[in-house]
Amino acid sequence: QVQLVESGGGSVQAGGSLRLSCASSDYTGDSYAMGWFRQAPGKEREGVAVIDDCSTNYRDSVKDRFTVSKDKASNTLYLQMNNLKPEDTAMYYCAAAREYDCYEGPISGVVHFGYRGQGTQVTVSV
């Protein structure tokens, strides 16, 4: 079992920045794909970013604004979000998929990763 706990959400004005964190309970040292997805009210969940030992990948609308990274020492996943836009407003979830050493699927597949946290809210105002 992997438990994931997100933090770092909040309310910012358009153009601002936030850094989300995701603490993992897995200290086995195993390496596998982790990522972020989000869900806005009344909308479908959508994959945002994914990272593993092979690559990183992002949905087109956040490329050049968001950066996903992982600190293996602290077992923490991050999402640095810059130049935030009102359309980025959503609940953001951390997710992990132990079956993928290198995830080669579409970014949309992150919403199906088997482990996920409770989410952290991001609100961007104009």
Side-chain angles (χ1 to χ4, degrees):
Q1 285 288 342
V2 176
Q3 293 183 325
L4 304 171
V5 179
E6 304 94 337
S7 61
S11 296
V12 296
Q13 290 187 323
S17 298
L18 284 173
R19 187 175 81 155
L20 307 184
S21 299
C22 171
S24 171
S25 66
D26 185 0
Y27 285 91
T28 61
D30 294 343
S31 185
Y32 45 82
M34 296 186 71
W36 295 89
F37 66 91
R38 66 189 182 187
Q39 187 168 24
K43 295 188 176 181
E44 296 290 321
R45 293 177 299 173
E46 56 184 29
V48 174
V50 62
I51 185 170
D52 53 44
D53 283 350
C54 300
S55 64
T56 57
N57 194 19
Y58 302 88
R59 70 179 299 103
D60 287 345
S61 63
V62 308
K63 284 180 180 177
D64 300 325
R65 298 189 298 121
F66 290 10
T67 303
V68 63
S69 61
K70 184 176 180 182
D71 182 343
K72 291 185 177 180
S74 65
N75 223 27
T76 303
L77 183 72
Y78 298 99
L79 185 67
Q80 177 66 44
M81 306 185 295
N82 298 327
N83 190 22
L84 282 160
K85 302 177 180 181
E87 52 264 41
D88 295 317
T89 295
M91 185 73 79
Y92 283 71
Y93 299 87
C94 172
R98 292 184 59 87
E99 65 269 33
Y100 296 118
D101 293 334
C102 294
Y103 177 68
E104 298 180 351
I107 190 65
S108 59
V110 177
V111 308
H112 301 298
F113 281 11
Y115 297 99
R116 64 193 63 177
Q118 294 300 307
T120 185
Q121 178 68 37
V122 171
T123 302
V124 185
S125 58
V126 297

